Amino acid sequence: MKIVHVKNPETREACLAKLCASVYGQEAGLAPLVTFAGTQGVLFKQEAARLFALTEDDGTILCLALISSDVDGGTMEVGMLSTPEGKGDTRHSRHLVKTLAEKAPLRVTAADETGEAFFRRCGIERWIDGDGGLRIGLGPLHPTPVNGVLPSVVRFNGDGIVRTFKQEPETFEAYKSRFVAALERYSNIA
């Protein structure tokens, strides 16, 4: 197995579409498309996010992770993590997160005890309380928060994207077509 930083724009778009579809599922409404559009149009354009894949030696994708940087570019956060259906499992996700945390100043967010336990098995041992009951785990290379405050992560405005989709149906259709085409391409590269 190896970890690949997915840089080719077409491959990255296909992997992002699959990651969004896997994370949100089929009953998620606009969420996968909004995340796809925001990541493509804001995070990738500003070079504030990277996509990583854990692959078999033959290139079969076992796990995908979207990593976003903070506003100063000093630390990173796991934004999305998933194993595509039928290919990988949670040990692949653990391997990917553990390896990334050993090489970069990474942080993760857990919504519950199960999520925190998963990330603890990835080697993330330092935890602080976040907003809304979330727990934030700091990887071994992540600096200690200054005065208990973590740098803000670069985000996109999901509500703004939804408003744009409603006001500009052609933008909605363009992203929807890109998303569907990217999912189709993914089946050829996975």
Side-chain angles (χ1 to χ4, degrees):
M1 292 186 295
K2 61 183 177 179
I3 294 178
V4 177
H5 177 193
V6 184
K7 295 180 183 178
N8 174 283
E10 284 192 6
T11 303
R12 185 177 67 186
E13 186 174 86
C15 288
L16 176 63
K18 182 61 175 178
L19 182 59
C20 291
S22 295
V23 166
Y24 290 105
Q26 295 181 358
E27 304 300 319
L30 283 177
L33 185 60
V34 168
T35 301
F36 176 80
T39 302
Q40 284 289 109
V42 177
L43 300 181
F44 286 159
K45 190 174 271 189
Q46 294 179 6
E47 297 181 3
R50 297 179 186 160
L51 191 66
F52 291 93
L54 176 68
T55 68
E56 292 281 15
D57 292 335
D58 67 1
T60 301
I61 296 173
L62 301 171
C63 181
L64 294 165
L66 181 71
I67 310 296
S68 300
S69 68
D70 69 38
V71 293
D72 298 323
T75 65
M76 295 181 253
E77 177 183 69
V78 175
M80 291 191 294
L81 175 70
S82 180
T83 55
E85 300 84 17
K87 302 282 181 159
D89 58 36
T90 55
R91 78 184 150 95
H92 295 121
S93 296
R94 282 194 310 270
H95 178 75
L96 181 56
V97 171
K98 184 176 183 349
T99 303
L100 292 172
E102 290 170 349
K103 297 178 185 248
L106 192 68
R107 70 184 183 210
V108 297
T109 303
D112 55 30
E113 289 179 8
T114 303
E116 184 173 334
F118 169 82
F119 287 120
R120 283 185 181 277
R121 288 190 300 274
C122 298
I124 297 177
E125 297 294 330
R126 295 181 297 152
W127 289 84
I128 60 174
D129 292 325
D131 294 336
L134 295 176
R135 297 277 289 155
I136 300 168
L138 307 177
L141 299 179
H142 195 288
T144 301
V146 178
N147 298 323
V149 178
L150 291 167
S152 297
V153 174
V154 178
R155 305 254 192 247
F156 57 84
N157 182 341
D159 292 338
I161 292 170
V162 170
R163 279 193 301 278
T164 298
F165 283 172
K166 288 179 179 177
Q167 294 169 358
E168 301 172 13
E170 65 281 359
T171 301
F172 170 76
E173 288 300 326
Y175 270 109
K176 185 171 94 172
S177 296
R178 277 178 73 182
F179 185 77
V180 170
L183 281 175
E184 291 171 0
R185 275 197 318 278
Y186 180 83
S187 61
N188 296 326
I189 62 170

